[in-house]
Amino acid sequence: MESNTQLNERRLADAWAELHAHATNGNPLQADAYRMAFADPEFLFRRETRGIRFQLEMLKPDLGQTEQGIENTIVVFGSARFMAPEDAEQALKAAEAAGEATQIVRAKLAVRNARYYDLARQFAQLVAEYSERQRPADRLYICTGGGPGIMEAANRGAHDIGAPNVGLNIALPHEQSGNRYITPSLSFKFHYFALRKMHFMMRAKALVAFPGGFGTLDELFEVLTLVQTGKAKPVPIVLCGVDYWKRLINFDVLVEEGTISAQDLKLFHYTDDPQEAWDLIRAFYQL
């Protein structure tokens, strides 16, 4: 039996045409009791309809990925502030030309940290090269938070190979858009961090965390907690940047104080080598 969704297309088109006309003409959209509920922004953004927004934000990226065959991902996290090496070098030259001591210090730090951008890009290339040789059902796709920095580097690595890759972006007060290396049809935008986190984990077969800030730590501990408590299946968790992670977090203190068990330290691995990170994942799944 054919789908009956065609019956509603005209009414849907009319409703959205009205909204588009208001936006194009710069007219404020006033509350309208007669407007269809799904086409009424004032209604959809009410506190009482938050649950509906949750459902929509859950459903749209899920359907979009399923329709394009994205079932297994490797999620890459890391700082949005790390620059590509060529951009960092250019910023340093500009700072030196300006003679600003503070800018020069920051630019030198950017050059130093740009190596992580390269490592993330190399890692994603390894994943994409492997997956391109597999049948579609067995492919692993790079998935990131869709922003700049390490996220851009990982999307870029997959893009270099011509492989589809996913970006789960988030609407922030300081507007952030998806980086240019995400496959356009797999670039999704979220309002709720909670729904975005769920989508990261729904298809994740591994987590690779490069040096980052609060957002990276948030995602890392989310995954560690889910795996430790058995709420999620065990997956490889790889911390790339040994010196950074060991200086930042002394996990041994947690064992010494009895807040985690020694066994919990086996939930993750350290490395500085993209190939080793990929080998750890391949060994886990016997690829």
Side-chain angles (χ1 to χ4, degrees):
M1 181 179 294
E2 292 185 3
S3 169
N4 64 359
T5 54
Q6 298 292 327
L7 299 176
N8 298 321
E9 280 192 354
R10 183 66 264 156
R11 281 174 287 175
L12 289 171
D14 289 343
W16 284 109
E18 179 189 358
L19 295 180
H20 180 72
H22 276 80
T24 301
N25 296 329
N27 299 324
L29 194 60
Q30 304 298 330
D32 185 349
Y34 193 67
R35 184 177 294 121
M36 289 184 178
F38 65 82
D40 187 342
E42 285 73 23
F43 173 70
L44 287 177
F45 282 105
R46 288 175 61 121
R47 180 178 181 274
E48 295 88 344
T49 58
R50 183 176 293 153
I52 297 171
R53 298 197 299 275
F54 284 173
Q55 292 175 359
L56 292 173
E57 198 150 285
M58 180 70 192
L59 190 59
K60 181 181 176 181
D62 187 32
L63 290 175
Q65 291 179 82
T66 298
E67 288 167 356
Q68 296 176 71
I70 309 297
E71 293 298 334
N72 305 302
T73 62
I74 293 182
V75 179
V76 180
F77 293 131
S79 177
R81 304 185 183 192
F82 290 170
M83 303 169 68
E86 59 272 21
D87 295 332
E89 290 289 351
Q90 187 174 359
L92 177 57
K93 290 179 181 178
E96 290 173 338
E100 277 286 339
T102 302
Q103 291 182 12
I104 292 173
V105 171
R106 290 178 179 172
K108 287 183 176 178
L109 179 62
V111 169
R112 190 189 77 186
N113 286 333
R115 72 185 187 277
Y116 293 120
Y117 184 105
D118 257 351
L119 294 177
R121 185 177 177 183
Q122 291 170 31
F123 171 77
Q125 289 173 343
L126 291 170
V127 176
E129 287 171 350
Y130 166 85
S131 291
E132 287 296 285
R133 299 192 298 268
Q134 310 307 309
R135 64 192 184 102
D138 295 332
R139 290 175 183 170
L140 293 162
Y141 299 92
I142 291 293
C143 175
T144 79
I150 294 297
M151 296 173 281
E152 175 188 289
N155 290 124
R156 185 176 181 178
H159 181 270
D160 291 340
I161 308 302
N165 61 91
V166 183
L168 306 181
N169 208 261
I170 186 83
L172 299 173
H174 51 284
E175 184 64 25
Q176 174 181 297
S177 59
N179 67 68
R180 64 185 185 275
Y181 299 106
I182 306 168
T183 300
S185 60
L186 292 169
S187 183
F188 302 98
K189 188 174 186 179
F190 290 79
H191 174 74
Y192 297 104
F193 271 106
L195 272 297
R196 181 176 179 243
K197 285 182 180 180
M198 187 171 290
H199 272 287
F200 277 133
M201 288 304 298
M202 282 172 60
R203 290 171 166 79
K205 299 304 179 189
L207 166 70
V208 180
F210 286 84
F214 290 157
T216 301
L217 292 172
D218 179 39
E219 302 291 357
L220 171 62
F221 279 99
E222 176 91 6
V223 176
L224 284 171
T225 301
L226 289 172
V227 174
Q228 182 207 43
T229 58
K231 295 292 285 184
K233 292 181 180 179
V235 296
I237 302 171
V238 185
L239 306 183
C240 287
V242 179
D243 180 65
Y244 178 88
W245 287 112
K246 289 195 172 182
R247 284 191 299 121
L248 179 65
I249 308 170
N250 188 344
F251 285 103
D252 291 330
V253 170
L254 300 180
V255 176
E256 292 168 8
E257 296 295 332
T259 55
I260 67 172
S261 68
Q263 190 71 16
D264 291 331
L265 296 181
K266 296 181 180 180
L267 293 176
F268 57 90
H269 305 271
Y270 296 103
T271 186
D272 286 315
D273 181 7
Q275 183 65 59
E276 184 179 9
W278 175 227
D279 289 344
L280 285 166
I281 295 169
R282 292 192 66 175
F284 184 92
Y285 291 110
Q286 299 181 331
L287 300 178

